[in-house]
Amino acid sequence: MQEKITENKNIILYSINISGIVQGVGFRPFIYKLAKENNLNGSITNTTEGVIIKVSVKNKKELSVFIDKIKKFKPSPSLIEKIEYRKIPQENFQDFAIEKSIETDEKFQLISPDLATCQICIEDINNKEDRRRYYYPFTNCTNCGPRFTIIKKMPYDRQYTTMLKFEMCPDCKKEYENPFDRRFHAQPNACKICGPVLSIIDNTGKTVDFQNPILTAARLLKNGFIIGIKSLGGFQIACDATNDDAILKLRKRKNRPQKPFAVMFKDMETLNKYLAVSILEQASLTSSSAPIVLLKKIKFMSLSKHVSYYNKYEGAMLPYTPLHHLLFNNIDFPLVMTSGNISEEPIASENKEALFELQDICDYFLTHNRDIYSKYDDSVIKIFNDNEMILRRARGYAPYPMKLGPNIGNKVILAVGAQEKNTFCILKKNYAIISQHIGDMDSAETLDFFKITLDNYKKLFNIDKIDLILYDKHPDYAATKFAKHHFRNSKKIEVQHHKAHIAGVIAENRLLEESENQENDRILGFAWDGTGYGDDGKVWGSEIFIVQKILSKKELNFERIGHIKEKYMPGGEITIKKPYRMAVSYLYNYFTNQANNSKKDFFNYIFSQFPFYKKIIEPEEIDIIIKQIQTGFNSPITTSMGRFFDSVSSILNLTHIVSYEGEAAIHLEMICQENIKDEYQVEIEDFVIDDYFIFNQIISDLKNNVAAPIVSAKFHNTLARAVLNISAKAKKNFGTNIIALSGGVFQNNLLISRCFELLKKSNFNVYSKFKVPVNDGGISLGQAYIGALALKQN
């Protein structure tokens, strides 16, 4: 209780407003304990913009000490963006109190991602003396558990989450209301008596076990069954990662013939038996984000070869929910743990939805009655250059904000992203809030997921009006069509795909603010990927830009100076699925440039020099491809680096038909003999790379029986050398020393490593994306950044 009193001249009352991620991370109990330890009276409350602390102090120095301790000892999952304080009229505080949440005029509050189960909660669920939480799969506290996936609206209070329907028992209520308990105001707090319950059902919906579902699930997994498991952000599909038959069955049912599966290991001790783990990789695996981390295989113990086939890496993760931990208490083998979806569609999150969509994949479902409000897939990262490089940004990372240089104030920007690996980005003030991984926008289900997620973000971040919409230039992208047909009162700007790639690097690394003393600085950007709609209507994909940083206007000017040679992509999009078609195009160019060769001779050449094509291509299809190359019929002109990788993969007899995006290029990377430093010669004219010249040297190597792993190494080394040579030429011509690398091709670990190594040795400053994906998952950030600069000028 508090009441106004006459001002005490020995006491000063301050209001401290803290914004950032300060709700759902144990911030209020932390402040309460800190105030009590320092004998300070006052209060703290959640607001729709952060938290407000009122604190009575003797002088300004005591206030400063208190604020310093807040910064130094804050809960690890929290993020303090701003601390503001001011004197206010005195109130009579006899103690320090946590007060009810209030709504303020500013309704913009950053929200915590979900957090992996903490060690203390793991101890609780394994403590036989704890009658309420022993083996309870929904145990959590203020340091861990669901956050964003259960929030319906802000402020983050239980009545605004999917936990509302579970009324706390007296013991849980006591914990929830005790400021010295670690479950104080833990909104998902529950126990066996009052919380969600687990059950196992078969794929017809019949309940199999609700008394010991974890033990039953473990037994089924041991017997080779496939189980759908309801996790934090949606369903996962699990099976024994050492069981060939189970994995082959899963591949067939999920229509996923080659794409690697992620694997969950019981703990670090188990994981170390299978995979090589660095200190930094272990730190990521055991962090509160608990992502999938790409780790190199070792030969001590092996998973089933069908988990990832020829891949040199496994996508590994550790248990991040109590349910996972309890499951591993009862099995002694790693689990394939893949997204609970039909290939390329959104992850299933509702019980009925999972049963309907996954009944032909899963034999059983381990499910529960705590609703998931926001679908979230698992995040995927790798360690590169001693930093986390995010490949798929979802659970544990989104919607963690990125702070940008331009501050657009109360304006709101929406960037809707690309077609593949879609994310969207909302920019408010100088916070870029990038959505979780949405997926490939090829299906109605994914578009619906996009719309639902966008509506949810608008509600949670209190966005009523969007001032500027940015979208990809490709007219047929689903996100582009959506943007064009909605938000009629918003200004709209189209952004070329590869320019957005480079803008994303500039945004993340804040390169625009890097050299404020230079009026006209320049950046050299390499945007290499598979497909992007060019300014000239052609299919771009190996673009090299000089980006002018005009500091007086805070704008970016892109000049396209280079790429690989233009060529027809025979048959258009079908060639993306069938790399051999692009290989035929390169081979035809090679063959026809030799003296006295006819089209008829080409058939003999291709089948004699590359006999494996007899099983892949019919002569009639080769004839069609040649006609398309000659006439351009149904064959767009392209400069795609991704198709170049595909062609090399095919002529090395690696991948001819892809079952997932990037498969041919990944196969090419994975067979590489990495200790080979040899290269092919590079010809560059006016910043245009002669890829035919490189390809022709590969043909010569194959004639001389050079092994595919060596050819792969030389190919990668050559492209890295091309990047360096062009950078050196651009430095001489334009004075640029800043290099930006982006696009899905730079997801290739070998290529980006060689590029960074060569460029740094030559004293270039080289940058890429780490906090958002370097692939199309980072496009929305670049779009939003271009929009922010446009708004700042108006």
Side-chain angles (χ1 to χ4, degrees):
M1 296 291 293
Q2 60 191 52
E3 58 184 49
K4 295 284 179 70
I5 61 166
T6 305
E7 182 177 354
N8 183 341
K9 294 182 180 179
N10 296 323
I11 297 295
I12 308 169
L13 186 63
Y14 281 91
S15 173
I16 306 172
N17 194 334
I18 303 180
S19 60
I21 296 179
V22 290
Q23 295 187 25
V25 290
F27 204 83
R28 286 183 295 175
F30 158 70
I31 295 294
Y32 179 90
K33 292 174 187 175
L34 188 64
K36 298 291 282 185
E37 289 168 2
N38 289 272
N39 298 311
L40 299 176
N41 295 336
S43 67
I44 181 171
T45 185
N46 275 349
T47 73
T48 46
E49 59 181 310
V51 297
I52 292 178
I53 303 166
K54 293 180 181 179
V55 62
S56 299
V57 294
K58 298 183 181 69
N59 49 51
K60 186 81 173 284
K61 182 179 179 181
E62 191 172 34
L63 175 70
S64 296
V65 169
F66 182 60
I67 290 175
D68 286 344
K69 288 182 178 179
I70 292 173
K71 295 176 181 177
K72 184 176 181 180
F73 300 111
K74 67 179 182 65
S76 56
S78 65
L79 171 69
I80 295 176
E81 286 287 355
K82 187 190 296 184
I83 298 180
E84 298 175 317
Y85 61 86
R86 60 186 176 87
K87 286 183 184 180
I88 59 173
Q90 281 197 13
E91 299 175 34
N92 182 24
F93 289 103
Q94 301 297 326
D95 203 341
F96 197 91
I98 296 175
E99 298 186 341
K100 289 183 177 180
S101 300
I102 60 172
E103 289 197 11
T104 50
D105 292 337
E106 174 60 66
K107 296 184 177 182
F108 178 67
Q109 161 62 28
L110 302 176
I111 304 172
S112 169
D114 291 19
L115 305 172
T117 308
C118 70
Q119 186 58 41
I120 303 175
C121 282
I122 293 172
E123 292 170 5
D124 286 346
I125 62 177
N126 288 297
N127 181 6
K128 293 181 179 179
E129 303 301 317
D130 190 336
R131 63 178 181 84
R132 292 169 47 239
R133 294 210 167 83
Y134 176 61
Y135 256 65
Y136 185 58
F138 306 98
T139 298
N140 64 85
C141 69
T142 53
N143 300 315
C144 67
R147 296 291 188 274
F148 196 87
T149 54
I150 64 169
I151 298 173
K152 294 183 175 181
K153 62 175 286 189
M154 295 300 285
Y156 179 52
D157 288 323
R158 191 179 180 100
Q159 66 263 35
Y160 302 135
T161 72
T162 60
M163 288 298 294
L164 173 63
K165 64 183 180 182
F166 301 103
E167 184 177 349
M168 283 183 280
C169 67
D171 286 334
C172 283
K173 188 77 170 175
K174 185 178 178 181
E175 294 168 336
Y176 184 84
E177 294 177 344
N178 179 3
F180 291 97
D181 194 291
R182 79 176 200 281
R183 293 190 170 93
F184 174 69
H185 279 241
Q187 305 306 338
N189 188 33
C191 71
K192 291 179 181 178
I193 297 168
C194 61
V197 294
L198 198 64
S199 64
I200 193 159
I201 61 175
D202 64 20
N203 57 10
T204 69
K206 180 182 177 182
T207 300
V208 175
D209 190 353
F210 62 88
Q211 294 183 326
N212 295 295
I214 292 172
L215 298 180
T216 299
R219 175 176 54 80
L220 291 168
L221 288 166
K222 289 175 185 176
N223 290 331
F225 288 102
I226 298 169
I227 296 183
I229 299 175
K230 190 175 183 180
S231 187
L232 271 182
F235 277 80
Q236 297 168 309
I237 300 175
C239 72
D240 181 353
T242 65
N243 186 324
D244 288 352
D245 291 340
I247 296 169
L248 287 172
K249 182 168 61 175
L250 175 57
R251 286 199 174 280
K252 183 177 180 180
R253 291 180 181 180
K254 208 172 190 284
N255 189 26
R256 186 167 167 159
Q258 290 290 327
K259 192 174 183 180
F261 287 126
V263 179
M264 183 177 281
F265 296 84
K266 179 179 182 178
D267 49 32
M268 283 305 306
E269 182 181 357
T270 306
L271 192 152
N272 278 313
K273 296 176 183 177
Y274 291 87
L275 303 169
V277 189
S278 70
I279 293 172
L280 292 175
E281 288 164 343
Q282 179 169 332
S284 294
L285 286 161
T286 57
S287 70
S288 61
S289 298
I292 297 169
V293 182
L294 298 187
L295 302 175
K296 277 203 168 183
K297 296 176 182 177
I298 56 178
K299 296 180 180 178
F300 300 144
M301 295 181 69
S302 295
L303 303 171
S304 166
K305 66 179 181 180
H306 302 294
V307 170
S308 57
Y309 294 113
Y310 51 77
N311 207 293
K312 293 179 180 178
Y313 300 86
E314 298 285 11
M317 59 178 154
L318 295 176
Y320 57 82
T321 70
L323 178 55
H324 293 137
H325 285 282
L326 293 172
L327 199 54
F328 275 103
N329 281 356
N330 298 278
I331 59 175
D332 59 358
F333 48 83
L335 291 174
V336 163
M337 197 68 75
T338 189
S339 303
N341 61 354
I342 300 169
S343 289
E344 309 307 331
E345 291 189 4
I347 188 171
S349 61
E350 296 177 3
N351 296 340
K352 290 182 180 178
E353 174 192 16
L355 185 62
F356 176 76
E357 293 185 358
L358 307 179
Q359 61 182 339
D360 293 331
I361 300 174
C362 300
D363 301 304
Y364 296 90
F365 294 88
L366 186 58
T367 187
H368 57 77
N369 60 340
R370 184 178 71 196
D371 294 333
I372 296 168
Y373 194 71
S374 296
K375 296 173 188 267
Y376 263 70
D377 218 324
D378 292 316
S379 293
V380 182
I381 70 134
K382 65 181 177 184
I383 298 297
F384 171 67
N385 207 33
D386 292 336
N387 287 288
E388 285 190 352
M389 178 176 260
I390 296 176
L391 306 178
R392 183 171 73 193
R393 194 173 187 271
R395 177 191 52 77
Y397 292 87
Y400 209 80
M402 185 180 297
K403 207 167 184 180
L404 303 185
N407 190 327
I408 61 172
N410 293 322
K411 302 285 188 181
V412 176
I413 288 172
L414 169 64
V416 299
Q419 181 77 359
E420 308 297 322
K421 297 177 174 62
N422 178 272
T423 63
F424 61 78
C425 178
I426 293 172
L427 187 58
K428 187 172 182 180
K429 295 185 177 179
N430 59 340
Y431 294 112
I433 302 166
I434 300 111
S435 75
Q436 70 267 39
H437 171 79
I438 301 294
D440 297 347
M441 300 280 281
D442 298 320
S443 68
E445 290 80 6
T446 309
L447 181 59
D448 287 343
F449 176 40
F450 174 94
K451 294 175 182 177
I452 291 167
T453 305
L454 176 58
D455 287 343
N456 190 32
Y457 272 59
K458 287 167 63 181
K459 181 170 60 176
L460 288 173
F461 294 106
N462 291 290
I463 293 168
D464 298 319
K465 179 189 174 187
I466 294 174
D467 299 280
L468 177 62
I469 310 287
L470 296 106
Y471 52 86
D472 194 276
K473 195 169 187 133
H474 199 301
D476 293 329
Y477 279 6
T480 295
K481 290 179 178 179
F482 171 81
K484 286 182 175 180
H485 292 97
H486 292 76
F487 311 104
R488 292 184 179 179
N489 296 323
S490 302
K491 182 180 177 182
K492 297 174 183 178
I493 299 175
E494 66 177 19
V495 180
Q496 199 281 322
H497 188 87
H498 300 93
K499 295 175 183 178
H501 265 308
I502 300 304
V505 180
I506 295 169
E508 178 179 324
N509 295 284
R510 301 186 72 166
L511 299 181
L512 191 62
E513 296 87 42
E514 193 77 7
S515 306
E516 292 289 350
N517 60 322
Q518 299 181 31
E519 177 60 24
N520 292 299
D521 206 353
R522 293 176 173 89
I523 295 168
L524 179 65
F526 293 83
W528 288 3
D529 61 6
T531 300
Y533 192 86
D535 287 336
D536 54 7
K538 298 172 183 176
V539 179
W540 289 4
S542 59
E543 309 321 300
I544 306 166
F545 298 103
I546 286 292
V547 187
Q548 188 87 27
K549 302 194 305 180
I550 306 174
L551 296 173
S552 58
K553 295 183 179 180
K554 294 286 188 185
E555 68 177 14
L556 301 181
N557 179 58
F558 290 83
E559 180 187 356
R560 183 190 185 217
I561 63 169
H563 44 76
I564 61 174
K565 285 198 166 185
E566 291 186 343
K567 60 192 64 66
Y568 286 114
M569 188 165 75
E573 286 193 10
I574 191 173
T575 299
I576 299 173
K577 299 288 187 183
K578 296 180 176 182
Y580 68 81
R581 294 178 63 88
M582 205 69 205
V584 169
S585 175
Y586 274 92
L587 287 168
Y588 187 70
N589 175 271
Y590 169 82
F591 186 78
T592 53
N593 281 316
Q594 310 299 311
N596 302 317
N597 284 333
S598 68
K599 186 173 79 170
K600 182 179 179 182
D601 293 331
F602 180 64
F603 291 113
N604 296 328
Y605 165 75
I606 194 169
F607 289 131
S608 62
Q609 296 298 313
F610 304 93
F612 51 81
Y613 278 137
K614 293 178 182 178
K615 297 180 180 179
I616 306 298
I617 324 172
E618 295 292 335
E620 292 80 8
E621 186 174 10
I622 293 178
D623 191 48
I624 292 170
I625 292 171
I626 292 171
K627 288 177 180 176
Q628 289 174 324
I629 294 168
Q630 292 172 336
T631 65
F633 176 73
N634 195 29
S635 301
I637 294 173
T638 186
T639 55
S640 170
M641 184 62 75
R643 303 292 78 78
F644 189 22
F645 272 79
D646 287 354
S647 300
V648 176
S649 181
S650 180
I651 64 165
L652 293 183
N653 197 21
L654 300 176
T655 298
H656 304 293
I657 299 174
V658 300
S659 60
Y660 65 95
E661 186 191 14
E663 181 180 352
I666 290 170
H667 202 166
L668 181 61
E669 177 192 357
M670 292 307 149
I671 62 114
C672 173
Q673 190 171 325
E674 295 183 23
N675 64 336
I676 298 295
K677 302 302 180 184
D678 295 344
E679 304 168 5
Y680 297 113
Q681 293 180 9
V682 180
E683 287 190 355
I684 299 169
E685 184 177 350
D686 296 329
F687 296 101
V688 174
I689 303 167
D690 189 342
D691 48 318
Y692 286 128
F693 183 64
I694 298 170
F695 188 87
N696 294 350
Q697 294 172 78
I698 293 173
I699 299 299
S700 296
D701 265 359
L702 294 180
K703 283 182 178 179
N704 293 321
N705 297 315
V706 176
I710 296 175
V711 172
S712 174
K714 292 174 70 175
F715 175 72
H716 284 88
N717 295 341
T718 302
L719 291 179
R721 179 65 59 184
V723 169
L724 176 63
N725 290 353
I726 287 171
S727 299
K729 187 176 181 180
K731 184 174 184 177
K732 183 178 179 180
N733 290 10
F734 302 103
T736 180
N737 198 55
I738 301 171
I739 313 299
L741 307 177
S742 189
V745 167
F746 288 109
Q747 196 167 291
N748 181 310
N749 205 56
L750 180 62
L751 179 63
I752 195 170
S753 296
R754 297 279 161 91
C755 287
F756 263 66
E757 179 185 354
L758 290 176
L759 290 165
K760 284 185 172 182
K761 280 183 178 179
S762 297
N763 297 314
F764 286 98
N765 297 319
V766 56
Y767 300 90
S768 189
K769 297 196 199 101
F770 287 79
K771 295 178 183 177
V772 298
V774 73
N775 57 43
D776 282 5
I779 285 284
S780 63
L781 174 65
Q783 292 173 339
Y785 186 72
I786 288 172
L789 296 178
L791 269 186
K792 286 291 286 184
Q793 291 184 61
N794 295 333

